[in-house]
Amino acid sequence: ISICRDLPNIEVITFSVNGISDLEPLNQCQNLSELYLRKNNITSLNELFYLKNLPRLRVLWLSENPCCGSDPHRYRMTVLRNLPSLQKLDNQAVTEEELSQALVDGEEITAPPARRSVENGCPESTESSAAESTTETESELLSFSLEETNKIREELGMKPVPRDKFSSFSPRETDCNRKKRNNVLNAILLLMKELDAEGLEIVQQTVGRRLQAFRKKELQEE
């Protein structure tokens, strides 16, 4: 997620299922309009402090993080009190009535959370991560990642990735490696949006050479 510090003009970010715990790198993304953070390791709603000054943020998906707690009403009201410009939260439209109620039932966040020493990324083996990996089926993870990746590709004017090609990225990889690979793919697509025509031509040439090398290697192995 630290890559976002170098992407102030980014508009859509998808980091679902990536062990992320700190949203501080997002506080300079002034053009951010959609943020997908489902199933991460965000433990405190105080992380919303870093999103409060993002004027264009309209869509946030934060569900299935520890910060959601056991009281869904309090959670939703707190998010909407601090981010009243949201139009959709956790794939559910925000109503005017909810925004008014959030002023009463929501908690105002005025300070960032205490600093933690745990770095973002795939966590080491723990009971919580082990439990998550048993409940998160591969088909669910791939479907959600495919949906978010294709949303970014649509923003870039690119064709969607077929499911058969997307799932072939990581059929036998560990959860951590799969998440990292999907994260790298999404980061590349996001970075491409920042490039001009000359930069895209360089990327195209580099990708062409890489593909030729892979095909040559496959032919040699056959």
Side-chain angles (χ1 to χ4, degrees):
I1 192 173
S2 60
I3 191 176
C4 295
R5 293 192 180 97
D6 299 321
L7 299 171
N9 296 320
I10 202 70
E11 297 179 11
V12 178
I13 295 177
T14 169
F15 280 138
S16 297
V17 199
N18 269 293
I20 289 170
S21 60
D22 182 3
L23 301 185
E24 184 274 333
L26 301 176
N27 66 356
Q28 299 299 319
C29 298
Q30 292 294 297
N31 289 331
L32 186 63
S33 62
E34 299 182 26
L35 178 59
Y36 300 91
L37 292 166
R38 169 182 171 269
K39 281 198 173 182
N40 278 287
N41 193 35
I42 301 168
T43 59
S44 172
L45 284 176
N46 282 6
E47 293 289 343
L48 295 175
F49 178 83
Y50 299 118
L51 307 181
K52 293 182 69 172
N53 294 320
L54 303 183
R56 300 185 179 182
L57 186 61
R58 297 293 181 267
V59 176
L60 175 64
W61 200 328
L62 191 61
S63 64
E64 298 176 86
N65 275 277
C67 65
C68 298
S70 58
D71 186 343
H73 177 74
R74 177 185 174 277
Y75 152 72
R76 189 171 177 87
M77 292 295 99
T78 296
V79 174
L80 294 181
R81 176 165 182 174
N82 291 277
L83 303 174
S85 295
L86 288 181
Q87 296 176 353
K88 185 175 285 190
L89 173 60
D90 297 337
N91 207 31
Q92 181 178 342
V94 176
T95 66
E96 291 295 332
E97 291 77 10
E98 283 184 309
L99 292 175
S100 298
Q101 192 64 37
L103 296 175
V104 178
D105 296 346
E107 178 183 343
E108 180 72 18
I109 295 172
T110 59
R115 290 292 182 183
R116 295 171 298 278
S117 60
V118 178
E119 295 184 355
N120 285 329
C122 290
E124 295 180 359
S125 179
T126 61
E127 291 184 5
S128 60
S129 62
E132 180 179 276
S133 66
T134 58
T135 57
E136 177 79 38
T137 65
E138 181 169 335
S139 62
E140 178 187 3
L141 176 60
L142 290 174
S143 294
F144 196 82
S145 298
L146 177 61
E147 176 186 345
E148 292 187 337
T149 297
N150 281 340
K151 184 174 184 62
I152 295 173
R153 293 176 69 89
E154 181 181 355
E155 290 284 332
L156 295 171
M158 302 169 66
K159 294 182 179 180
V161 179
R163 180 179 174 80
D164 58 340
K165 291 186 178 298
F166 191 88
S167 61
S168 68
F169 290 162
S170 52
R172 294 186 177 87
E173 292 177 348
T174 64
D175 284 345
C176 187
N177 286 338
R178 178 172 57 245
K179 294 169 191 174
K180 284 183 177 179
R181 180 169 293 184
N182 289 343
N183 192 32
V184 169
L185 173 63
N186 288 336
I188 291 171
L189 294 174
L190 291 168
L191 285 168
M192 286 177 62
K193 194 172 183 180
E194 302 291 316
L195 297 176
D196 57 13
E198 182 180 359
L200 288 172
E201 288 179 359
I202 294 174
V203 171
Q204 184 181 38
Q205 293 170 4
T206 303
V207 170
R209 288 194 294 268
R210 289 281 290 170
L211 285 173
Q212 288 180 356
F214 276 120
R215 288 166 183 161
K216 183 177 180 180
K217 183 178 179 181
E218 289 175 355
L219 291 173
Q220 291 174 345
E221 290 176 350
E222 291 177 357

